Amino acid sequence: MQQAAQQPIEDLREQFDELKAQLESLKNQAPANKISMVVFSGELDKVLAAFVIATGAAAMGMEVVMFFTFWGTPVLRDKNKSVGGKDMMGKMFGTMLPKGTGAVKLSKMNMGGMGTAMMKSLMKKKNVASVEQMMELAADLGVQIFICEMSMDLMGFKREEMIAYPDLTYCGVAKFMEEAANSRVQLFI
Amino acid sequence: MSDEIKVDKHMDLKGLPCPMPVVKVSKGIKEVELGQVIEAVTTDPGSLTDFPAWARTSGNEILKSEQDGETIRFYIKRTA
């Protein structure tokens, strides 16, 4: 009699344990409150948009990861740093690509730099933060920046010439994918 | 009604465009205690939709918002 009553309880306990295990595994699969962004572009407008989204997301309590690759990479160079020992291609990329946030141009209506200068003065007039200021703010808000090693190598950039950003990691696609897979939002800019 | 809301911190965010109002208020809210209220004043028309979105996401509460010409005034209670 007693045994017969115990059986359903045993069954229930088994089911409960199974559900608990399933819930745990679902919990591990749920994405974090995080945004992962690929910053592929190196132009003022696009980089500015990336930083506006990054700082806005951080303000909303999200963890933010920015992965700078290809044309985005030179934006992270420090204008006050220079390194020697580059080959011809490295020197060429170094000269032709913008050196840091202050040197980026508009993707449209640059007009030999005139458009960019006008946009910058307009931004100042309208109180819109510059890319430099946005990057400082991002650092302050704990936005993480990843730099693509492959792009660095391709364009001949060295770690010694990059900015001293507080949360800076050199990595490859796997690190970005790990972050992106665990994020609610992924963007390519 | 607004004079019935007890304000613990004032934030003047006038003249600041996106994303600054939301960034600043997200910092400011951490400087008051749970249950305390911030009065934030902006002139960014986008903040009319941005502040409620920020509040919903961050779990804080907008007690009241009022618009007077270009000026928008928010009363935000820290609930998270």
Side-chain angles (χ1 to χ4, degrees), chain A residues 55 59-60 126-127 134 137 140, chain B residues 15 17 19-20 26-27 54 57:
Chain A
T55 51
M60 292 179 85
K126 300 246 178 196
N127 245 334
M134 289 304 286
L137 184 65
D140 188 40
Chain B
M20 287 311 174
S26 74
K27 282 185 174 178
W54 165 80
T57 313

Side-chain angles (χ1 to χ4, degrees), chain B residues 13 16-22 42-54 56 62 67 70-72 74:
Chain B
L13 308 172
L16 293 175
C18 176
M20 287 311 174
V22 159
T42 76
T43 47
D44 170 26
S47 61
L48 273 173
T49 40
D50 267 16
F51 271 52
W54 165 80
R56 281 192 295 273
I62 293 182
Q67 195 172 2
E70 280 190 356
T71 312
I72 308 155
F74 293 96

Side-chain angles (χ1 to χ4, degrees), chain A residues 76 143-147 159 162-170:
Chain A
L76 298 175
V143 170
Q144 302 171 59
I145 289 185
F146 291 106
I147 308 183
R159 291 190 182 194
M162 306 312 270
I163 51 162
Y165 187 85
D167 201 338
L168 193 70
T169 313
Y170 297 88

Side-chain angles (χ1 to χ4, degrees), chain B residues 55-74:
Chain B
R56 281 192 295 273
T57 313
S58 62
N60 293 294
E61 191 187 339
I62 293 182
L63 301 174
K64 187 184 160 80
S65 62
E66 53 192 21
Q67 195 172 2
D68 178 18
E70 280 190 356
T71 312
I72 308 155
R73 200 173 296 270
F74 293 96

